[in-house]
Amino acid sequence: MHHLSFEGEFRKKPIQSMKGASQKEERQTLLDRAQAEREHREETRKRISSATTVQAWYRSFTARQKQKYKEREQFDVNVRPLKMNELKLTPDLIKTLIRQMLFFYEPIFDDQRLISVCQMCIQNRQSLVQHSISDLHKITFIHQMKKVLLHCSRYLNRISGEGQAIALPMRMLEIFTAARTYEIARCDTEAWTESKSKSRPGLECDEHNSQILATQLQQTFHIHLINNGFFRDMKVLLLAKLPSGLERTLSAPTPTSGSIYQLITAPVLSVKDLTDKTDRNAILTFFCREFLCDVFTDQISEFLLPALIHGKPPFPFIELLSAMIIASCSQHY
Protein backbone atom coordinates (compact mmCIF):
# COMPACT_ATOMS: atom_id res chain seq x y z
CA MET A 1 0.00 0.00 0.00
CA HIS A 2 2.94 2.32 0.60
CA HIS A 3 3.68 2.40 -3.17
CA LEU A 4 0.29 3.93 -3.92
CA SER A 5 -0.17 7.68 -3.98
CA PHE A 6 -3.55 9.37 -3.52
CA GLU A 7 -2.29 12.83 -4.56
CA GLY A 8 -2.74 12.27 -8.26
CA GLU A 9 0.99 11.46 -8.89
CA PHE A 10 1.43 8.13 -10.55
CA ARG A 11 5.06 8.53 -11.65
CA LYS A 12 8.02 7.92 -9.33
CA LYS A 13 10.29 10.95 -8.86
CA PRO A 14 14.05 10.49 -9.22
CA ILE A 15 15.95 10.37 -5.90
CA GLN A 16 18.98 12.72 -5.70
CA SER A 17 21.98 11.32 -3.78
CA MET A 18 23.75 14.01 -1.70
CA LYS A 19 27.07 12.09 -1.37
CA GLY A 20 28.12 12.94 -4.91
CA ALA A 21 28.97 10.84 -7.85
CA SER A 22 30.67 7.55 -7.06
CA GLN A 23 34.27 7.21 -8.21
CA LYS A 24 36.12 4.03 -8.91
CA GLU A 25 39.94 4.33 -8.54
CA GLU A 26 42.35 2.10 -10.25
CA ARG A 27 44.44 -0.17 -8.01
CA GLN A 28 47.76 1.63 -8.63
CA THR A 29 46.21 5.05 -7.98
CA LEU A 30 44.81 3.77 -4.70
CA LEU A 31 48.20 2.38 -3.65
CA ASP A 32 49.98 5.62 -4.56
CA ARG A 33 47.51 7.68 -2.56
CA ALA A 34 47.87 5.40 0.47
CA GLN A 35 51.65 5.64 0.23
CA ALA A 36 51.50 9.44 0.04
CA GLU A 37 49.25 9.54 3.10
CA ARG A 38 51.63 7.31 5.05
CA GLU A 39 54.60 9.51 4.11
CA HIS A 40 52.68 12.60 5.16
CA ARG A 41 51.83 11.05 8.53
CA GLU A 42 55.48 10.01 9.03
CA GLU A 43 56.71 13.49 8.15
CA THR A 44 54.23 15.01 10.59
CA ARG A 45 55.38 12.60 13.30
CA LYS A 46 59.04 13.55 12.70
CA ARG A 47 58.25 17.26 12.85
CA ILE A 48 56.40 16.82 16.12
CA SER A 49 59.20 14.67 17.54
CA SER A 50 61.85 17.18 16.46
CA ALA A 51 59.91 20.08 17.93
CA THR A 52 59.50 18.18 21.20
CA THR A 53 63.25 17.42 21.32
CA VAL A 54 64.22 21.05 20.68
CA GLN A 55 61.75 22.31 23.25
CA ALA A 56 63.00 19.78 25.83
CA TRP A 57 66.63 20.76 25.13
CA TYR A 58 65.82 24.46 25.47
CA ARG A 59 63.93 23.96 28.71
CA SER A 60 66.78 21.85 30.07
CA PHE A 61 69.37 24.44 29.00
CA THR A 62 67.50 27.35 30.56
CA ALA A 63 66.93 25.37 33.77
CA ARG A 64 70.64 24.55 34.00
CA GLN A 65 71.62 28.16 33.35
CA LYS A 66 69.28 29.38 36.07
CA GLN A 67 70.66 26.83 38.50
CA LYS A 68 74.24 27.72 37.53
CA TYR A 69 73.45 31.38 38.17
CA LYS A 70 72.12 30.52 41.64
CA GLU A 71 75.14 28.35 42.46
CA ARG A 72 77.51 31.06 41.18
CA GLU A 73 75.82 33.63 43.40
CA GLN A 74 75.98 31.28 46.38
CA PHE A 75 79.66 30.64 45.68
CA ASP A 76 80.39 34.36 45.78
CA VAL A 77 78.37 34.69 48.99
CA ASN A 78 80.44 31.91 50.59
CA VAL A 79 83.76 33.37 49.43
CA ARG A 80 83.08 36.98 50.44
CA PRO A 81 83.49 36.49 54.23
CA LEU A 82 86.61 34.38 53.62
CA LYS A 83 88.27 37.27 51.82
CA MET A 84 87.42 39.56 54.74
CA ASN A 85 88.68 36.99 57.31
CA GLU A 86 85.22 36.82 58.86
CA LEU A 87 84.89 33.05 58.42
CA LYS A 88 87.29 30.18 59.03
CA LEU A 89 88.04 28.03 56.02
CA THR A 90 87.37 24.35 56.74
CA PRO A 91 87.82 21.24 54.56
CA ASP A 92 84.05 20.86 54.32
CA LEU A 93 83.68 24.43 53.08
CA ILE A 94 86.48 23.94 50.54
CA LYS A 95 84.79 20.84 49.17
CA THR A 96 81.48 22.71 48.99
CA LEU A 97 83.10 25.50 47.01
CA ILE A 98 84.78 22.97 44.69
CA ARG A 99 81.45 21.25 44.09
CA GLN A 100 79.72 24.54 43.31
CA MET A 101 82.52 25.73 41.03
CA LEU A 102 82.59 22.47 39.07
CA PHE A 103 78.83 22.72 38.52
CA PHE A 104 78.75 26.22 37.04
CA TYR A 105 82.29 26.59 35.68
CA GLU A 106 82.59 28.13 32.22
CA PRO A 107 86.00 28.96 30.73
CA ILE A 108 87.01 32.64 30.77
CA PHE A 109 83.86 33.70 32.64
CA ASP A 110 84.75 31.75 35.82
CA ASP A 111 88.54 31.71 35.60
CA GLN A 112 88.97 33.95 38.65
CA ARG A 113 86.75 31.65 40.69
CA LEU A 114 88.94 28.73 39.60
CA ILE A 115 92.01 30.64 40.79
CA SER A 116 90.30 31.30 44.13
CA VAL A 117 89.60 27.59 44.58
CA CYS A 118 93.22 26.75 43.71
CA GLN A 119 94.49 29.21 46.29
CA MET A 120 92.25 27.72 49.00
CA CYS A 121 93.32 24.16 48.17
CA ILE A 122 97.02 25.06 48.16
CA GLN A 123 96.92 26.97 51.44
CA ASN A 124 94.94 24.24 53.21
CA ARG A 125 96.23 21.18 51.37
CA GLN A 126 97.20 19.16 54.43
CA SER A 127 93.85 19.45 56.22
CA LEU A 128 91.94 19.04 52.94
CA VAL A 129 93.77 15.85 51.98
CA GLN A 130 93.62 14.38 55.48
CA HIS A 131 89.86 14.97 55.56
CA SER A 132 89.20 13.77 52.02
CA ILE A 133 91.10 10.53 51.42
CA SER A 134 89.33 8.47 54.04
CA ASP A 135 87.28 5.61 52.65
CA LEU A 136 84.08 7.64 53.15
CA HIS A 137 85.19 10.65 51.07
CA LYS A 138 87.94 9.29 48.82
CA ILE A 139 85.86 8.60 45.70
CA THR A 140 84.25 12.06 45.77
CA PHE A 141 87.62 13.74 46.35
CA ILE A 142 89.24 11.89 43.43
CA HIS A 143 86.36 12.72 41.09
CA GLN A 144 86.36 16.41 42.00
CA MET A 145 90.15 16.79 41.99
CA LYS A 146 90.38 15.21 38.53
CA LYS A 147 88.11 17.92 37.14
CA VAL A 148 89.83 20.77 38.99
CA LEU A 149 93.28 19.69 37.76
CA LEU A 150 92.00 19.33 34.21
CA HIS A 151 90.51 22.84 34.35
CA CYS A 152 93.90 24.11 35.54
CA SER A 153 95.70 22.40 32.66
CA ARG A 154 93.34 23.83 30.05
CA TYR A 155 93.45 27.24 31.70
CA LEU A 156 97.25 27.29 31.34
CA ASN A 157 96.92 26.40 27.67
CA ARG A 158 94.36 29.13 27.10
CA ILE A 159 96.30 31.96 28.75
CA SER A 160 99.80 30.83 27.74
CA GLY A 161 100.33 33.73 25.35
CA GLU A 162 98.45 36.44 27.23
CA GLY A 163 101.00 37.34 29.90
CA GLN A 164 98.70 36.46 32.80
CA ALA A 165 99.94 34.95 36.05
CA ILE A 166 100.23 31.17 35.92
CA ALA A 167 101.74 30.50 39.36
CA LEU A 168 98.61 29.29 41.17
CA PRO A 169 97.29 26.78 38.60
CA MET A 170 100.81 25.45 38.04
CA ARG A 171 101.36 25.09 41.78
CA MET A 172 97.99 23.33 42.00
CA LEU A 173 99.12 20.79 39.42
CA GLU A 174 102.50 20.32 41.08
CA ILE A 175 101.07 19.71 44.55
CA PHE A 176 98.03 17.55 43.84
CA THR A 177 99.71 15.29 41.26
CA ALA A 178 102.65 14.56 43.60
CA ALA A 179 102.63 11.39 45.69
CA ARG A 180 104.30 13.10 48.65
CA THR A 181 101.17 15.24 49.13
CA TYR A 182 99.16 12.15 50.06
CA GLU A 183 101.80 10.22 52.00
CA ILE A 184 101.31 12.36 55.11
CA ALA A 185 97.55 12.26 54.94
CA ARG A 186 96.88 8.59 55.56
CA CYS A 187 97.68 8.83 59.26
CA ASP A 188 94.83 10.98 60.50
CA THR A 189 94.32 11.49 64.22
CA GLU A 190 92.21 8.39 64.81
CA ALA A 191 94.40 6.05 62.76
CA TRP A 192 97.55 7.47 64.34
CA THR A 193 96.18 6.90 67.87
CA GLU A 194 95.21 3.35 67.00
CA SER A 195 98.65 2.61 65.53
CA LYS A 196 100.44 4.00 68.60
CA SER A 197 98.49 1.64 70.82
CA LYS A 198 99.81 -1.32 68.84
CA SER A 199 103.29 -2.63 68.23
CA ARG A 200 105.82 -0.91 66.02
CA PRO A 201 105.24 -3.28 63.02
CA GLY A 202 101.61 -2.16 62.92
CA LEU A 203 102.75 1.43 62.53
CA GLU A 204 105.16 0.49 59.75
CA CYS A 205 102.38 -1.36 57.94
CA ASP A 206 100.21 1.77 58.07
CA GLU A 207 103.05 3.85 56.63
CA HIS A 208 103.47 1.28 53.85
CA ASN A 209 99.76 1.49 53.03
CA SER A 210 100.06 5.26 52.98
CA GLN A 211 102.79 5.07 50.34
CA ILE A 212 100.72 2.68 48.23
CA LEU A 213 97.69 4.96 48.41
CA ALA A 214 99.79 8.03 47.54
CA THR A 215 101.25 6.29 44.48
CA GLN A 216 97.81 5.16 43.33
CA LEU A 217 96.38 8.67 43.61
CA GLN A 218 99.33 10.14 41.73
CA GLN A 219 98.93 7.62 38.92
CA THR A 220 95.16 8.15 38.79
CA PHE A 221 95.51 11.90 38.34
CA HIS A 222 98.33 11.55 35.79
CA ILE A 223 96.38 9.09 33.65
CA HIS A 224 93.25 11.25 33.68
CA LEU A 225 95.14 14.39 32.72
CA ILE A 226 97.19 12.75 29.97
CA ASN A 227 94.15 11.09 28.41
CA ASN A 228 92.57 14.55 28.18
CA GLY A 229 95.40 16.49 26.51
CA PHE A 230 97.76 17.34 29.39
CA PHE A 231 100.92 16.97 27.29
CA ARG A 232 99.44 19.18 24.57
CA ASP A 233 98.64 21.86 27.14
CA MET A 234 102.13 21.70 28.63
CA LYS A 235 103.75 21.86 25.20
CA VAL A 236 101.82 25.02 24.33
CA LEU A 237 102.84 26.52 27.68
CA LEU A 238 106.50 25.57 27.23
CA LEU A 239 106.69 27.09 23.75
CA ALA A 240 105.04 30.29 25.01
CA LYS A 241 107.12 30.77 28.15
CA LEU A 242 110.54 29.70 26.85
CA PRO A 243 111.90 31.82 23.98
CA SER A 244 113.30 30.20 20.86
CA GLY A 245 116.94 30.55 19.82
CA LEU A 246 118.36 29.35 23.13
CA GLU A 247 121.57 27.34 23.34
CA ARG A 248 121.61 23.70 24.36
CA THR A 249 121.29 23.34 28.11
CA LEU A 250 120.60 20.58 30.63
CA SER A 251 119.17 22.92 33.25
CA ALA A 252 116.05 25.06 33.03
CA PRO A 253 116.83 28.56 31.72
CA THR A 254 114.09 30.10 33.89
CA PRO A 255 112.20 29.04 37.04
CA THR A 256 108.95 28.88 35.07
CA SER A 257 110.45 26.57 32.43
CA GLY A 258 111.79 24.41 35.25
CA SER A 259 108.32 24.02 36.72
CA ILE A 260 106.88 23.16 33.31
CA TYR A 261 109.66 20.62 32.80
CA GLN A 262 108.81 18.96 36.11
CA LEU A 263 105.13 18.73 35.18
CA ILE A 264 105.97 17.16 31.81
CA THR A 265 108.53 14.67 33.04
CA ALA A 266 106.87 13.55 36.30
CA PRO A 267 104.41 11.11 34.67
CA VAL A 268 106.99 9.94 32.11
CA LEU A 269 109.71 9.14 34.65
CA SER A 270 107.27 7.32 36.92
CA VAL A 271 105.98 4.84 34.31
CA LYS A 272 108.25 2.12 35.70
CA ASP A 273 106.11 2.12 38.84
CA LEU A 274 102.94 1.42 36.86
CA THR A 275 101.71 -2.15 36.99
CA ASP A 276 99.08 -1.58 34.30
CA LYS A 277 100.82 -1.82 30.93
CA THR A 278 97.89 -0.13 29.18
CA ASP A 279 98.34 3.01 31.29
CA ARG A 280 102.11 2.88 30.86
CA ASN A 281 101.85 2.64 27.08
CA ALA A 282 99.23 5.41 27.00
CA ILE A 283 101.49 7.85 28.84
CA LEU A 284 104.49 7.15 26.62
CA THR A 285 102.43 7.15 23.42
CA PHE A 286 100.92 10.57 24.18
CA PHE A 287 104.37 11.89 25.11
CA CYS A 288 105.84 10.60 21.86
CA ARG A 289 102.94 12.03 19.83
CA GLU A 290 103.26 15.53 21.30
CA PHE A 291 107.03 15.93 21.70
CA LEU A 292 108.77 13.46 19.37
CA CYS A 293 106.61 13.17 16.26
CA ASP A 294 106.30 16.84 15.24
CA VAL A 295 109.12 19.02 13.96
CA PHE A 296 111.40 19.87 16.87
CA THR A 297 111.35 23.45 18.10
CA ASP A 298 114.33 25.02 19.89
CA GLN A 299 112.57 24.60 23.22
CA ILE A 300 112.31 20.85 22.68
CA SER A 301 115.58 20.05 20.88
CA GLU A 302 117.82 22.35 22.95
CA PHE A 303 116.28 21.96 26.40
CA LEU A 304 113.56 19.36 26.95
CA LEU A 305 115.15 16.35 25.24
CA PRO A 306 118.75 16.91 26.47
CA ALA A 307 117.49 17.41 30.02
CA LEU A 308 115.41 14.23 29.79
CA ILE A 309 118.20 12.11 28.32
CA HIS A 310 120.89 13.19 30.80
CA GLY A 311 118.64 13.77 33.80
CA LYS A 312 117.86 11.63 36.81
CA PRO A 313 116.06 9.33 37.19
CA PRO A 314 117.01 7.87 33.79
CA PHE A 315 114.58 8.14 30.91
CA PRO A 316 112.58 4.89 30.33
CA PHE A 317 113.87 4.13 26.83
CA ILE A 318 112.96 0.43 26.93
CA GLU A 319 109.37 1.19 27.97
CA LEU A 320 109.14 3.87 25.26
CA LEU A 321 110.27 1.48 22.53
CA SER A 322 107.82 -1.14 23.76
CA ALA A 323 104.95 1.37 23.66
CA MET A 324 105.92 2.50 20.15
CA ILE A 325 106.02 -1.10 18.89
CA ILE A 326 102.60 -1.85 20.37
CA ALA A 327 101.15 1.36 18.90
CA SER A 328 102.64 0.55 15.49
CA CYS A 329 101.24 -2.98 15.50
CA SER A 330 97.78 -1.77 16.51
CA GLN A 331 97.76 0.68 13.59
CA HIS A 332 98.58 -2.08 11.11
CA TYR A 333 95.78 -4.26 12.38
Side-chain angles (χ1 to χ4, degrees):
M1 294 292 296
H2 62 277
H3 293 290
L4 300 178
S5 175
F6 297 93
E7 297 178 357
E9 297 180 359
F10 59 92
R11 292 183 179 179
K12 184 178 180 181
K13 293 182 178 180
I15 299 175
Q16 181 67 39
S17 177
M18 304 303 297
K19 67 178 182 179
S22 61
Q23 297 180 354
K24 293 184 178 180
E25 295 182 307
E26 296 182 358
R27 183 174 181 276
Q28 187 60 40
T29 304
L30 179 62
L31 294 176
D32 292 341
R33 183 169 61 83
Q35 177 66 21
E37 291 175 354
R38 283 195 298 269
E39 291 177 354
H40 177 72
R41 289 194 299 270
E42 179 65 18
E43 185 66 24
T44 303
R45 186 192 66 79
K46 289 181 178 180
R47 285 199 301 269
I48 295 174
S49 177
S50 299
T52 303
T53 302
V54 172
Q55 292 171 2
W57 180 88
Y58 177 77
R59 289 193 296 268
S60 175
F61 173 79
T62 54
R64 288 196 307 271
Q65 292 303 111
K66 290 179 180 178
Q67 188 61 35
K68 285 182 178 181
Y69 180 78
K70 293 180 181 179
E71 292 291 334
R72 190 177 284 113
E73 282 191 330
Q74 186 61 45
F75 178 92
D76 294 338
V77 169
N78 292 335
V79 170
R80 193 173 298 116
L82 295 174
K83 293 182 178 180
M84 302 175 64
N85 296 324
E86 297 177 355
L87 183 65
K88 183 179 179 181
L89 188 61
T90 63
D92 286 329
L93 180 55
I94 295 176
K95 291 193 292 185
T96 299
L97 294 174
I98 292 175
R99 175 182 55 79
Q100 290 176 333
M101 190 271 296
L102 291 176
F103 177 78
F104 64 70
Y105 179 78
E106 293 181 5
I108 301 177
F109 188 74
D110 294 308
D111 283 345
Q112 289 305 314
R113 294 180 176 89
L114 173 64
I115 297 301
S116 298
V117 168
C118 291
Q119 186 174 10
M120 296 174 197
C121 292
I122 292 171
Q123 293 176 348
N124 302 271
R125 56 184 177 272
Q126 185 171 355
S127 59
L128 174 63
V129 172
Q130 285 179 343
H131 184 270
S132 300
I133 66 170
S134 64
D135 293 338
L136 183 62
H137 305 98
K138 184 168 61 175
I139 295 178
T140 302
F141 172 76
I142 293 173
H143 175 72
Q144 291 180 342
M145 192 54 62
K146 280 180 178 180
K147 292 189 173 184
V148 173
L149 294 175
L150 185 58
H151 285 321
C152 290
S153 177
R154 292 175 175 172
Y155 171 77
L156 290 171
N157 184 340
R158 192 168 59 253
I159 68 165
S160 59
E162 299 179 3
Q164 299 184 30
I166 62 173
L168 281 174
M170 284 194 61
R171 189 65 179 146
M172 184 76 180
L173 288 168
E174 290 174 357
I175 290 174
F176 287 94
T177 58
R180 63 181 177 272
T181 302
Y182 307 100
E183 290 176 357
I184 61 173
R186 186 62 176 176
C187 296
D188 55 12
T189 304
E190 182 179 353
W192 181 257
T193 304
E194 182 181 356
S195 297
K196 286 182 66 178
S197 65
K198 297 181 179 180
S199 62
R200 183 66 184 173
L203 179 59
E204 294 175 354
C205 180
D206 189 70
E207 292 175 353
H208 177 66
N209 292 336
S210 175
Q211 294 176 356
I212 294 176
L213 173 64
T215 302
Q216 290 175 346
L217 289 173
Q218 180 190 43
Q219 294 171 355
T220 298
F221 294 138
H222 278 161
I223 291 297
H224 178 73
L225 288 171
I226 290 169
N227 285 334
N228 289 276
F230 176 72
F231 282 144
R232 180 182 61 252
D233 297 337
M234 293 299 103
K235 180 181 179 181
V236 172
L237 188 62
L238 179 66
L239 297 182
K241 297 302 178 182
L242 191 59
S244 59
L246 72 163
E247 297 181 356
R248 176 161 298 193
T249 177
L250 302 182
S251 58
T254 62
T256 300
S257 62
S259 298
I260 300 172
Y261 173 81
Q262 293 296 329
L263 288 174
I264 293 173
T265 57
V268 176
L269 298 179
S270 63
V271 293
K272 292 183 179 180
D273 299 330
L274 286 171
T275 56
D276 191 333
K277 292 184 178 181
T278 301
D279 292 340
R280 181 194 308 168
N281 294 335
I283 292 175
L284 294 172
T285 300
F286 280 112
F287 175 81
C288 180
R289 183 179 301 168
E290 292 297 336
F291 295 102
L292 304 181
C293 293
D294 289 339
V295 177
F296 288 170
T297 61
D298 292 340
Q299 295 89 334
I300 295 176
S301 62
E302 304 301 323
F303 165 58
L304 179 63
L305 296 184
L308 268 175
I309 294 172
H310 299 284
K312 292 182 180 180
F315 186 83
F317 287 104
I318 296 177
E319 288 79 4
L320 176 63
L321 292 175
S322 175
M324 293 173 64
I325 292 172
I326 292 175
S328 176
C329 292
S330 62
Q331 289 179 357
H332 283 88
Y333 291 99

